Amino acid sequence: MTHTDAPLPLFPHRHLLGIRDLSPPDIEILLDRADRAVSISRQSEKKTSTLRGRTQINLFFESSTRTQSSFELAGKRLGADVMNMSVASSSVKKGETLIDTAMTLNAMRPDILIIRHQSAGAAALLAQKVGCSVVNAGDGTHEHPTQALLDALTIRRAKGRIGGLTVAICGDILHSRVARSNIILLNALGAQVRVVAPSTLMPSGIEQMSVNVFRNMEEGLKGADVVMMLRLQRERMAGSFVPSVREYFRYFGLDAEKLKAAKEDALVMHPGPMNRGVEIASEIADGPQSVIQEQVEMGVAVRMAVMEALLDPRRNPEGPGA
Ligand code: NCD
């Protein structure tokens, strides 16, 4: 069976700016579509024609290897023409603003713009200015919706469900758009969400996001079904948030000893890129409970699903801007 055999429910949005804008059924639509996309990626013939003739522009103001290549492969597997524009090779360095760049690209009539930017709200701003669909690939410390969706897909495929699971998100919560998007999504689908971090990396008022707060790894991991580690985002830290890397690993790095507190079959996740020996021990990252490689695979499938859903011809048969 191919992904086009049975009609899928219509996704009722033109842009994907954050998980906050999605209802639980919206999330399920994307995860179900992504399940179908996984099988396409596992065939030797990986190219489909869903987005044939469509133009996708990846506009990355922050450096990224895995997210950008994941969006690029996803677009290519759907048959779209994909153009990558990164800040280093653009005139943004010459003082052109985000909006000027967006308007210039918009005049080239793309069908979908994927944006990563260092400022929260950049994707939403862009969506107001351009005539095509916009996908947020990470805006500052705000949201990273496709990461949360790929994490949810990985969990759902491994555990068969999300509702009722206990998920511990650990580490640099303060600077993490991955944590924010995951907290919103996992809560929407009925998981119990815990956040585990030292006080300096715990955002104030995080309790208002319906999470249980822990400042000790063993307590936070106790009985967890999923342990999601976050990268220590040193590039976002102005002062000293952690005494030393060695100290951080000792108390908050995931090693075999700390992992024992979680359920025996707990999944270990990390969005990458990993700082091995800082937030996670190599033996755990590469160990039997790790689904970190699956996350990467699910990333391509989720991005295929998102782009197909946004550009669904049933909603707008003539295409955006027509
Ligand atoms: C994440 C990001 O950029 O927010 N990484 C990613 O999407 N590959 C997490 C991180 O940078 O730590």
Side-chain angles (χ1 to χ4, degrees):
M1 180 165 131
T2 68
H3 74 299
T4 46
D5 285 350
L8 283 160
L10 204 57
F11 183 69
H13 301 273
R14 181 147 186 247
H15 308 292
L16 179 66
L17 304 177
I19 300 294
R20 185 70 85 191
D21 307 323
L22 306 183
S23 68
D26 293 346
I27 296 169
E28 306 274 6
I29 290 174
L30 295 176
L31 297 182
D32 292 347
R33 264 189 186 270
D35 262 329
R36 294 187 175 204
V38 175
S39 42
I40 296 169
S41 293
R42 288 182 179 177
Q43 295 165 11
S44 54
E45 170 61 59
K46 296 177 178 59
K47 201 145 180 141
T48 65
S49 56
T50 333
L51 296 193
R52 191 171 53 202
R54 305 292 193 112
T55 302
Q56 170 192 341
I57 300 181
N58 296 335
L59 178 57
F60 277 61
F61 292 90
E62 251 184 19
S63 64
S64 156
T65 330
R66 89 175 51 206
T67 304
Q68 185 169 330
S69 53
S70 182
F71 270 107
E72 182 175 353
L73 261 189
K76 288 181 169 164
R77 287 186 183 167
L78 295 171
D81 293 311
V82 187
M83 191 191 96
N84 289 307
M85 219 183 120
S86 56
V87 71
S89 59
S90 84
S91 58
V92 173
K93 287 226 164 119
K94 298 178 202 152
E96 207 172 309
T97 66
L98 164 65
I99 297 302
D100 286 336
T101 309
M103 296 314 287
T104 303
L105 293 175
N106 191 48
M108 299 177 190
R109 299 183 73 81
D111 299 281
I112 190 159
L113 263 172
I114 316 297
I115 180 178
R116 168 166 286 197
H117 196 274
Q118 55 281 2
S119 306
L125 182 65
L126 197 69
Q128 287 170 13
K129 303 281 177 191
V130 298
C132 64
S133 288
V134 173
V135 177
N136 181 5
D139 61 332
T141 57
H142 177 231
E143 277 228 44
H144 189 357
T146 56
Q147 178 69 44
L149 287 162
L150 77 86
D151 290 338
L153 184 67
T154 307
I155 297 171
R156 197 175 80 165
R157 288 171 68 100
K159 296 283 179 196
R161 68 195 165 106
I162 289 178
L165 296 180
T166 298
V167 182
I169 306 177
C170 314
D172 189 356
I173 312 283
L174 182 66
H175 300 100
S176 179
R177 52 197 177 204
V178 173
R180 285 181 56 83
S181 290
N182 262 301
I183 291 169
I184 302 166
L185 188 155
L186 293 165
N187 271 323
L189 295 192
Q192 304 286 321
V193 186
R194 300 175 180 173
V195 289
V196 189
S199 302
T200 48
L201 295 177
M202 189 75 86
S204 63
I206 186 84
E207 298 81 3
Q208 285 154 23
M209 290 189 83
S210 308
V211 291
N212 292 312
V213 176
F214 294 86
R215 289 184 173 79
N216 172 286
M217 281 287 272
E218 213 187 301
E219 290 167 20
L221 262 51
K222 197 175 282 172
D225 297 286
V226 178
V227 181
M228 195 181 277
M229 301 308 297
L230 299 172
R231 185 173 64 87
L232 201 56
Q233 307 218 342
R234 282 175 283 189
E235 77 280 11
R236 296 193 196 278
M237 298 181 186
S240 109
F241 285 82
V242 288
S244 74
V245 159
R246 189 185 296 184
E247 186 92 336
Y248 183 80
F249 183 73
R250 182 164 160 218
Y251 291 102
F252 289 94
L254 186 65
D255 56 13
E257 195 51 41
K258 296 190 194 80
L259 184 58
K260 279 187 195 150
K263 284 205 181 124
E264 218 175 315
D265 61 350
L267 304 178
V268 171
M269 306 179 74
H270 193 300
M274 281 185 276
N275 294 307
R276 289 171 182 262
V278 178
E279 66 261 353
I280 189 164
S282 263
E283 50 161 352
I284 301 300
D286 305 328
Q289 287 171 258
S290 168
V291 290
I292 295 169
Q293 293 307 313
E294 279 87 333
Q295 286 175 272
V296 178
E297 183 185 4
M298 295 310 127
V300 178
V302 151
R303 288 161 184 137
M304 288 170 76
V306 165
M307 292 194 288
E308 268 189 342
L310 293 175
L311 297 182
D312 194 322
R314 289 174 296 175
R315 185 155 35 89
N316 187 1
E318 301 304 316

